[in-house]
């Protein structure tokens, strides 16, 4: 069966425009000169009827409203049967609170991320008697909706911002930041919205994927500092940049993968402007710049 994926939100945490940002992209998006993008989420199905949402964005209410296939099919029925989160970041878990309306679904995450969620009492709004919390072991395939299997694997990253201590390890490989290998009967896709660096193990994991959705947070590591918007590099945030010898575009060179799509773009990323030279460079290297509402069939 085919594997269908729809970008619900192509932006990183903050979205485009971000509420407090006056950078060039945010101003253009506010003016309607470039498309606005909601925060990080992807929906997938293998049977066109039942869907899993990968990462519950703070914008999930608006995202579901904008996605016809995710609309209720009955009085209190939803095609959304499962939610899987890849880390504990606010842009990936805050939307769970919007899904609190007594509708059963399965919530998949690693054990450590379930612990992060359980440690925050506000998530008790998702009654465990209705929303089943399923801990997924790394490197162990699980059928999450009919015909669609997910395997979680560690990718270099860090703990969520709100759990950072004085010392932050940004290339941690464990249960805090994972990628997802999705497979239907014949096709497969890999979803990695956060990744600090592309290791050889990760390249091996990506090899042969029909469809890849990959961390496109920044164009260059010091982009936010240059724009006068903050002190953090991409590396410090646990995100690889697109450009440069250590960037994702270079890391994917020569990798046998089908369609490559950047997602989780920070609002400072120049590729969000359709006319930007950086976007042409990414596209010339075979990448698609993801946008809200884009659909792909593998
Ligand atoms: C990230 O992707 O780095 C996080 O979403 C940052 C955040 O939680 O604000
Ligand atoms: Mn994020
Ligand atoms: Zn901005």
């Amino acid at each position: 069966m085919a594997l269908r994926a729809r970008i619900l939100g192509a932006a990183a945490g903050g979205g485009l425009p971000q509420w407090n940002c006056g950078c060039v992209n945010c101003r253009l998006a506010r003016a309607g000169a470039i498309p606005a993008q909601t925060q990080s989420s992807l929906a997938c199905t293998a049977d066109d009827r039942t869907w899993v949402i990968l990462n519950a964005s703070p914008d999930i209410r608006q995202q579901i409203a904008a996605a016809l296939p995710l609309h209720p099919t009955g009085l209190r029925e939803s095609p959304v049967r499962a939610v899987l989160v890849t880390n504990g970041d606010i842009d990936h878990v805050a939307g769970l609170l919007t899904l609190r309306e007594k509708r059963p679904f399965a919530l998949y995450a690693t054990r450590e991320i379930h612990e992060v969620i359980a440690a925050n009492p506000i998530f008790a709004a998702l009654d465990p008697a209705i929303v089943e919390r399923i801990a997924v072991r790394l490197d162990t395939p699980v059928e999450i909706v009919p015909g669609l299997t997910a395997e979680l694997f560690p990718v270099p990253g860090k703990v969520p911002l709100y759990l950072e201590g004085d010392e932050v390890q940004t290339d941690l490989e464990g249960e805090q930041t994972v990628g997802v290998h999705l497979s239907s009967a014949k096709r497969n896709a890999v979803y990695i919205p956060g990744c600090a660096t592309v290791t050889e193990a990760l390249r091996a994991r990506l090899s042969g994927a029909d469809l890849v959705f990959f961390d496109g947070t920044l164009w260059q590591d010091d982009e936010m500092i240059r724009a006068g918007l903050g002190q953090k590099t991409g590396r410090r945030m646990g995100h690889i940049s697109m450009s440069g010898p250590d960037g994702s575009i270079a890391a994917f060179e020569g990798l046998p993968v089908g369609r490559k799509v950047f997602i989780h773009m920070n609002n400072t990323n120049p590729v969000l402007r359709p006319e930007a030279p950086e976007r042409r460079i990414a596209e010339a290297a075979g990448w698609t710049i993801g946008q809200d509402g884009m659909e792909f069939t593998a």
Side-chain angles (χ1 to χ4, degrees):
M1 241 184 303
L3 191 161
R4 190 171 153 206
R6 180 184 175 108
I7 298 177
L8 299 183
L16 174 73
Q18 178 175 307
W19 75 280
N20 62 344
C21 191
C23 79
V24 54
N25 285 353
C26 286
R27 282 187 281 120
L28 287 168
R30 255 178 227 112
I34 61 172
Q37 309 292 340
T38 62
Q39 297 167 84
S40 185
S41 185
L42 186 79
C44 293
T45 184
D47 66 1
D48 287 334
R49 289 184 297 114
T50 52
W51 291 75
V52 56
I53 291 181
L54 306 178
N55 288 322
S57 151
D59 301 319
I60 195 167
R61 179 183 163 280
Q62 174 191 350
Q63 291 170 339
I64 291 175
L68 208 58
L70 303 185
H71 288 184
T73 47
L75 257 187
R76 278 289 165 89
E77 279 286 330
S78 168
V80 179
R81 300 298 164 79
V83 175
L84 185 155
V85 302
T86 60
N87 63 20
D89 282 349
I90 291 170
D91 56 343
H92 290 164
V93 301
L96 291 172
L97 297 174
T98 299
L99 302 178
R100 70 190 178 282
E101 310 289 356
K102 302 263 179 241
R103 178 75 216 156
F105 64 90
L107 176 58
Y108 294 97
T110 63
R111 187 182 50 79
E112 284 187 25
I113 293 307
H114 273 301
E115 283 170 9
V116 169
I117 292 169
N120 189 328
I122 198 168
F123 290 108
L126 285 182
D127 183 350
I130 295 173
V131 176
E132 192 186 358
R133 300 185 185 192
I134 302 169
V136 183
R137 299 171 81 92
L138 295 177
D139 306 311
T140 309
V142 183
E143 190 177 35
I144 45 174
V145 285
L148 188 64
T149 296
E151 184 177 336
L152 305 185
F153 56 90
V155 292
K158 63 171 187 62
V159 298
L161 192 58
Y162 54 88
L163 294 179
E164 286 183 3
D166 295 336
E167 298 277 310
V168 183
Q169 198 187 335
T170 56
D171 57 356
L172 204 68
E173 282 193 59
E175 292 204 348
Q176 288 289 329
T177 303
V178 297
V180 188
H181 192 117
L182 296 156
S183 36
S184 67
K186 297 219 171 84
R187 315 298 286 175
N188 68 93
V190 178
Y191 170 66
I192 306 178
C195 180
T197 162
V198 178
T199 59
E200 270 314 308
L202 185 52
R203 274 175 62 87
R205 179 73 78 165
L206 287 159
S207 180
D210 297 310
L211 185 54
V212 176
F213 296 94
F214 195 79
D215 183 350
T217 306
L218 299 179
W219 174 255
Q220 59 185 17
D221 197 48
D222 58 355
E223 170 178 315
M224 293 181 59
I225 300 169
R226 280 169 189 250
L229 294 170
Q231 299 308 313
K232 278 190 188 168
T233 60
R235 220 167 270 134
R236 171 61 185 77
M237 294 189 295
H239 294 291
I240 189 174
S241 305
M242 294 180 175
S243 65
D246 300 326
S248 49
I249 292 175
F252 272 77
E253 261 163 35
L255 250 191
V257 299
R259 191 116 189 228
K260 297 178 287 198
V261 184
F262 277 125
I263 39 112
H264 194 278
M265 269 78 67
N266 190 58
N267 54 68
T268 51
N269 195 322
V271 301
L272 289 165
R273 296 192 298 276
E275 305 308 326
E278 291 87 349
R279 185 175 180 127
R280 279 200 292 279
I281 294 171
E283 287 172 347
W287 287 86
T288 297
I289 306 303
Q291 289 203 33
D292 288 18
M294 269 186 179
E295 270 207 31
F296 301 87
T297 302

